[in-house]
Amino acid sequence: MTRCSEEKKALRREIRQRKQQVSEAEKASLSQQLCRQVEQLPEWQEARTVLLYHALSDEVSTRELLQRWAGQKTLLLPVVDGDDLLLKPYRPQTAMSPNQWNILEPTADTECFSDYQAIDLALIPGMAFDKDGHRLGRGKGYYDRLLPRLSCPTIGICFPFQKVEKIPVEPWDIPVQRVL
Ligand code: ADP
Ligand code: MG
């Protein structure tokens, strides 16, 4: 293992520890605040098609955005397909099922969304971000493969304790443009 991937592993461990010190109630409240902040962004207000994600229990929850906006914008959710992420539209009536990490995804019979040019904004989860938009994921590189396909603004979203001074970067790591 390279020095850089060792450092990433150590940082993931550190972030997991920090997360455990924040209560569920506090994370729920922070998630709510962050959703409100997203709704204030001009990029959000103008966007018709937005890539969101369904959070793991320790990530910023986008549930409110999904609930409030599914009827008004085209909201997309990633679906794990081998080493890649497929995108599928989320509508209030979309059937959802948990994947191998217990993240809810639109079910297999939901049609895929493949018009990547039509995506106006992407909100990207992460274990940690630094001020330059470098992103630490869970170590599978899913978003490093998805981000190059997007031509829209990309905004990382995380709790304050997930902001770090510097994230070790490997050649394939793709940063986001901004972090909330
Ligand atoms: P994460 O971004 O989830 O924190 P890493 O950046 O550590 O994860 O990447 C995990 C693995 O994914 C790496 O071992 C790397 O080989 C692979 N990977 C990332 N991006 C690509 C890519 N664009 N093409 C092929 N493999 C990739
Ligand atoms: Mg990466």
Side-chain angles (χ1 to χ4, degrees), residues 99-155:
N99 67 13
Q100 68 227 77
W101 296 286
N102 229 15
I103 304 176
L104 286 176
E105 301 179 329
T107 51
D109 58 350
T110 313
E111 80 282 18
C112 280
F113 185 94
S114 52
D115 187 4
Y116 286 83
Q117 295 292 319
I119 302 173
D120 300 310
L121 174 66
L123 293 180
I124 310 295
M127 287 204 75
F129 291 94
D130 69 18
K131 62 174 179 358
D132 299 317
H134 296 129
R135 172 182 179 277
L136 182 73
R138 284 165 191 268
K140 303 262 192 251
Y142 283 113
Y143 279 94
D144 292 325
R145 286 182 291 266
L146 175 66
L147 286 167
R149 287 183 246 157
L150 304 178
S151 49
C152 62
T154 54
I155 301 181

Side-chain angles (χ1 to χ4, degrees), residues 1 47 79 81 85 107 151:
M1 203 183 275
V79 173
D81 178 47
L85 295 176
T107 51
S151 49

Side-chain angles (χ1 to χ4, degrees), residues 2-142:
T2 65
R3 162 114 180 264
C4 204
S5 55
E6 291 285 1
E7 285 172 8
K8 281 183 172 178
K9 251 176 91 175
L11 187 54
R12 288 190 188 99
R13 229 180 354 252
E14 154 87 24
I15 296 287
R16 271 192 213 101
Q17 275 167 4
R18 289 193 203 171
K19 273 179 188 170
Q20 281 167 4
Q21 284 155 24
V22 183
S23 72
E24 290 303 318
E26 207 169 324
K27 281 182 280 198
S29 153
L30 285 166
S31 288
Q32 228 173 39
Q33 285 173 41
L34 281 159
C35 285
R36 296 282 146 92
Q37 251 177 283
V38 168
E39 289 173 336
Q40 301 305 313
L41 297 172
E43 291 96 328
W44 172 269
Q45 291 170 359
E46 286 156 22
R48 287 172 35 194
T49 303
V50 182
L51 172 62
L52 285 175
Y53 62 90
H54 223 104
L56 286 166
S57 65
D58 56 7
E59 290 170 346
V60 174
S61 167
T62 59
R63 188 185 302 266
E64 291 198 10
L65 294 173
L66 289 163
Q67 282 175 353
R68 277 206 288 273
W69 292 90
Q72 296 158 73
K73 295 181 189 288
T74 301
L75 302 182
L76 304 173
L77 288 174
V79 173
V80 173
D81 178 47
D83 285 339
D84 273 313
L85 295 176
L86 303 173
L87 307 185
K88 296 192 175 194
Y90 171 80
R91 302 191 183 88
Q93 71 276 16
T94 302
M96 305 287 283
S97 61
N99 67 13
Q100 68 227 77
W101 296 286
N102 229 15
I103 304 176
L104 286 176
E105 301 179 329
T107 51
D109 58 350
T110 313
E111 80 282 18
C112 280
F113 185 94
S114 52
D115 187 4
Y116 286 83
Q117 295 292 319
I119 302 173
D120 300 310
L121 174 66
L123 293 180
I124 310 295
M127 287 204 75
F129 291 94
D130 69 18
K131 62 174 179 358
D132 299 317
H134 296 129
R135 172 182 179 277
L136 182 73
R138 284 165 191 268
K140 303 262 192 251
Y142 283 113

